Amino acid sequence: MSKVVKHAVLDTELYADSVEWCPVDGNQHLLVGGTYQLNETEGRRLGKIRLYQLNDELGLDEVWGNDCPGILDMKWNHCLMSEETTVLGTADADGSLNLYELKLDSMGLCQFASAHEDSIALALDWSHYKENVISTHIAVSYSSGHVCVFELTNSKLELKHKWKPHGFEAWITAFDYWHPHQIYTGGDDCLFRGYDLRITTNSPTFTNRAHDMGVCSIQCNRNRDNILATGSYDENIRLWDTRKIGKTPVSEVHVGGGVWRVKWSPWDRNHLAAACMHNGFVIIDCSGEPSAIVEYNEHDSLAYGVDWCYSNAKSVGFLLASCSFYDHKLSLWEWETNKSDNCNS
């Protein structure tokens, strides 16, 4: 296994389930962390968004925080919504999709748009990763099994599509970043499905039953067309060719623990980070037959959130953040490697 160095560990107080580094140039030293916790006595879902800043000692300084109903997922928009506007979307336990603008003058996040459904919002994704746009689309999946697609125009969210692809929780939804009319969903019913938003009937373009348990995570490779990764409660990561998703994937690797999140490296085509619930965090080399080359096991609870830092100027290798649930822990760690070699792979 490659060498891993732990740089910082923070207590998030509430149960931690989501971490996301800002991908936008000039703000790549910023990290958001989300928490979710059920107050069983009062029956309330609690949460908090925290904004952290990477410092020169490879530590994290908290610069802002805000209470909320509980965060299940967060995603930054990779494209500026205007000349200087960086936006974060959150999927909240009260059924809301909330959008926040990054305010650099006060170093905080300001909510400016919201859309609400009647079940828990579990995951979200932005349609555009490859070009600056004035309006874009956001997909959100819900505990009811529904998926909604909203259009963001002039700081307002408009519901454009709503359908029910899954009989139980729709754990995940994701856009095809190369073909943004294509959207994927995964649910607790073990189904992995695709939809073309140009087709108004909401009939799936495919239904795949290769997963033995619920499908928790889906992400397209932003650096390699037609490659998609899925993660499941069945403890396997599967790689797919989106041109021919049939009964079997291109390849798969058993990582153990149940795969809650997968994140492709922003630096190359072949490395995939995964949060494996009961089995910590791994980095998979997908250049050939997929295999785990990095393990990070410094968490004592469910491994739920992981992401690559887009700014590695202060590090020898690649920085990642991860978080775990019941021990309410957020970690900053580094995969020590030759960055130039890996970026060219």
Side-chain angles (χ1 to χ4, degrees):
M1 290 289 173
S2 300
K3 184 178 180 182
V4 172
V5 177
K6 179 174 64 176
H7 287 297
V9 176
L10 287 72
D11 185 350
T12 62
E13 298 177 0
L14 299 177
Y15 299 159
D17 60 6
S18 182
V19 288
E20 296 284 330
W21 287 98
C22 186
V24 179
D25 287 343
N27 301 322
Q28 295 177 343
H29 60 297
L30 298 176
L31 172 76
V32 285
T35 56
Y36 165 84
Q37 191 163 334
L38 176 63
N39 184 322
E40 296 183 2
T41 302
E42 301 179 6
R44 292 192 303 127
R45 295 181 172 92
L46 309 174
K48 190 165 188 173
I49 309 173
R50 284 185 166 90
L51 180 66
Y52 303 93
Q53 180 173 270
L54 181 67
N55 61 40
D56 291 334
E57 288 74 40
L58 292 179
L60 293 169
D61 300 321
E62 183 178 338
V63 295
W64 180 86
N66 186 60
D67 293 330
C68 59
I71 299 292
L72 276 299
D73 194 24
M74 301 184 295
K75 295 287 191 310
W76 296 95
N77 189 1
H78 282 229
C79 303
L80 296 175
M81 299 307 299
S82 63
E83 185 176 350
E84 297 180 348
T85 303
T86 300
V87 177
L88 175 75
T90 67
D92 291 7
D94 68 349
S96 295
L97 164 66
N98 288 310
L99 301 185
Y100 296 84
E101 180 182 350
L102 176 64
K103 297 290 188 179
L104 292 176
D105 52 352
S106 57
M107 192 51 73
L109 296 165
C110 180
Q111 182 180 339
F112 69 90
S114 184
H116 182 80
E117 292 291 317
D118 292 331
S119 59
I120 297 173
L122 297 174
L124 77 144
D125 201 17
W126 296 82
S127 60
H128 291 279
Y129 279 75
K130 292 190 166 293
E131 60 185 88
N132 290 344
V133 292
I134 299 302
S135 64
T136 189
H137 292 83
I138 308 163
V140 186
S141 61
Y142 297 90
S143 59
S144 63
H146 286 89
V147 170
C148 293
V149 176
F150 300 91
E151 183 176 16
L152 174 63
T153 307
N154 298 323
S155 299
K156 293 183 179 180
L157 287 166
E158 180 183 356
L159 179 64
K160 306 297 288 186
H161 306 273
K162 181 178 180 179
W163 73 102
K164 190 175 183 179
H166 299 284
F168 303 104
E169 289 90 343
W171 289 121
I172 191 70
T173 185
F175 279 98
D176 188 318
Y177 304 140
W178 299 81
H179 311 282
H181 59 271
Q182 179 74 29
I183 191 170
Y184 306 102
T185 70
D188 206 49
D189 52 10
C190 309
L191 298 181
F192 166 39
R193 286 182 150 167
Y195 293 86
D196 189 328
L197 296 179
R198 298 170 300 182
I199 300 174
T200 59
T201 60
N202 291 328
S203 298
T205 55
F206 70 85
T207 297
N208 185 282
R209 294 177 170 85
H211 303 81
D212 296 323
M213 299 180 72
V215 183
C216 310
S217 190
I218 303 171
Q219 194 183 52
C220 281
N221 190 324
R222 290 190 295 270
N223 297 314
R224 188 178 177 188
D225 195 2
N226 302 315
I227 296 298
L228 175 81
T230 61
S232 170
Y233 282 129
D234 66 15
E235 305 187 350
N236 291 294
I237 292 173
R238 294 172 173 85
L239 302 183
W240 306 86
D241 185 331
T242 59
R243 295 166 296 184
K244 49 182 180 180
I245 295 181
K247 294 182 179 180
T248 58
V250 174
S251 57
E252 63 183 276
V253 56
H254 182 82
V255 293
V259 186
W260 186 250
R261 283 291 175 266
V262 290
K263 296 286 184 69
W264 287 104
S265 166
W267 303 103
D268 64 69
R269 297 153 48 99
N270 296 318
H271 292 104
L272 182 72
C276 301
M277 297 180 70
H278 298 283
N279 202 35
F281 301 88
V282 297
I283 295 175
I284 306 296
D285 184 351
C286 301
S287 56
E289 189 65 26
S291 61
I293 59 171
V294 177
E295 293 181 355
Y296 184 75
N297 294 306
E298 297 295 321
H299 290 262
D300 302 316
S301 182
L302 293 170
Y304 271 160
V306 67
D307 200 20
W308 303 78
C309 181
Y310 292 77
S311 174
N312 284 294
K314 298 180 175 68
S315 64
V316 175
F318 298 93
L319 290 175
L320 294 97
S322 56
C323 69
S324 48
F325 203 59
Y326 295 114
D327 60 351
H328 38 86
K329 183 185 293 185
L330 188 156
S331 291
L332 176 67
W333 48 282
E334 181 179 356
W335 169 29
E336 287 199 338
T337 183
N338 187 317
K339 284 191 282 191
S340 59
D341 287 348
N342 280 284
C343 287
N344 293 326
S345 62

